[in-house]
Amino acid sequence: MNLADALPALNLDRSRHAAPQVFEKLRDLIISLELTPGTVLPRPELADAFGVSQTPIRDALLRLSEAGLVDIFPQHTTVVSRIDVAAARQAHFLRRSLELEIVNLLAQRTDSALVARLQRHIDDQLAARGADDYPAFIAADQAFHREMHEAAGVAGLWDLEQRYSGHVDRLRRLHLPEAGKAERILDDHRRILERIAAHDAMGAQAALREHLSGTLSQVEDICRRYPDYVRLP
C-alpha cells in the first residue's frame, strides 16, 4: 500500500496527545509493510491526513528515525527506511537472551492460570490463521510473548524489546505468508507451553530457541527475494 492509500485510515483520538498517536499509527503501517521501504512521507500530506499541524508530525518522524524506521534528509524529505539486517540480528539477540531466561523462570514456578492464559493466545492465533487474518495472527503472537514477560514480572523489558524490534518485525512480516510458516509458529508455541506446564525448563528453552531462529535462519533467502527492501551489513 502506498501513502495515498493508507492516509484515509489515519484517525486520531482527540482526547490524547497527537504526536504519540501519529508515531504509533505510522509505526504500525511501516511494520506491517503497508508503507514499504522507500515510501516518501511528506509532512504536509501527513499533517492534512491526521488533521494536525506539522509539529506533532515532525516529533513522530523524529521518534521513527531514532527507531531506524525512517530516514530523514534535512530540508529535503523523509522516507521509510530499508530493513537493516544487522540491526535485526541485534534485536533478535536481545529478545532471545531475555526470553530464554523468562521461560526458564516460568517453567520453575508456573501455575494453571498462566497456562490457561497462554493457551487462549494460541487459540486466538489458530482462529486468525483459519480466517487468513495475518494482522490478528501477529497480534495474538505478540500477546503470547508479552504474557510471558508479564508473568515473569518483567513487562518493562517487553517495551524495551519493542523499541528495537522494527527491523526484525518487518523481516518476520515478509516471512510469515510463506507456506507452512504460520503452522510452525503455532506448533512452536504449543511446545513452549507444554514444556512450561511440565516444569521442564531446559525443554522450554530449547523450544523457544528453535522458535525464535525461524525468520533469521531464512534471512538470506528473504534478502534475495526482496532486494529493494533490505540493507545488508
Side-chain angles (χ1 to χ4, degrees):
M1 181 183 293
N2 60 32
L3 182 60
D5 292 331
L7 292 182
L10 304 179
N11 299 311
L12 298 184
D13 178 353
R14 299 301 170 181
S15 68
R16 297 173 54 205
H17 290 298
Q21 293 184 76
V22 174
F23 168 79
E24 291 163 6
K25 287 181 178 289
L26 289 179
R27 186 183 188 279
D28 287 346
L29 290 169
I30 292 169
I31 296 300
S32 68
L33 297 174
E34 293 179 78
L35 293 177
T36 57
T39 300
V40 178
L41 302 175
R43 290 187 188 179
E45 286 186 39
L46 291 173
D48 288 344
F50 283 107
V52 297
S53 71
Q54 290 194 35
T55 299
I57 301 298
R58 179 202 63 203
D59 293 346
L61 292 177
L62 285 172
R63 283 189 63 190
L64 289 167
S65 176
E66 292 170 358
L69 295 177
V70 303
D71 295 321
I72 297 176
F73 300 95
Q75 310 304 319
H76 181 48
T77 191
T78 299
V79 300
V80 177
S81 68
R82 289 191 174 205
I83 300 169
D84 187 324
V85 173
R89 292 188 187 280
Q90 291 186 55
H92 176 263
F93 183 90
L94 173 64
R95 180 174 179 181
R96 181 181 61 189
S97 300
L98 292 173
E99 290 203 15
L100 283 171
E101 290 304 314
I102 287 170
V103 297
N104 176 62
L105 178 64
L106 295 182
Q108 295 180 50
R109 70 181 198 193
T110 193
D111 56 35
S112 59
L114 173 61
V115 171
R117 293 197 301 273
L118 290 173
Q119 183 61 54
R120 282 197 293 272
H121 296 310
I122 294 174
D123 293 342
D124 289 343
Q125 277 191 285
L126 184 60
R129 177 66 188 92
D132 287 330
D133 186 342
Y134 287 114
F137 185 90
I138 291 169
D141 186 325
Q142 296 283 80
F144 178 89
H145 288 273
R146 181 165 192 151
E147 186 78 58
M148 291 197 296
H149 284 67
E150 292 175 350
V154 292
L157 293 181
W158 173 260
D159 296 331
L160 173 67
E161 291 173 52
Q162 294 307 293
R163 196 179 308 164
Y164 298 103
S165 71
H167 293 292
V168 72
D169 285 345
R170 287 193 286 173
L171 284 177
R172 289 193 180 102
R173 187 62 185 237
L174 290 173
H175 191 208
L176 179 58
E178 290 191 358
K181 173 63 176 177
E183 286 75 13
R184 287 194 297 276
I185 291 172
L186 280 164
D187 287 343
D188 288 348
H189 281 184
R190 292 185 185 108
R191 280 193 292 271
I192 292 168
L193 178 54
E194 178 185 81
R195 294 298 89 208
I196 289 174
H199 303 287
D200 177 3
M202 291 184 64
Q205 287 183 316
L208 178 78
R209 189 177 288 107
E210 181 176 352
H211 172 53
L212 293 183
S213 71
T215 294
L216 269 295
S217 69
Q218 300 298 315
V219 70
E220 291 184 4
D221 181 59
I222 294 171
C223 290
R224 280 195 298 270
R225 289 187 289 113
Y226 301 97
D228 294 335
Y229 283 13
V230 299
R231 180 166 65 240
L232 297 173

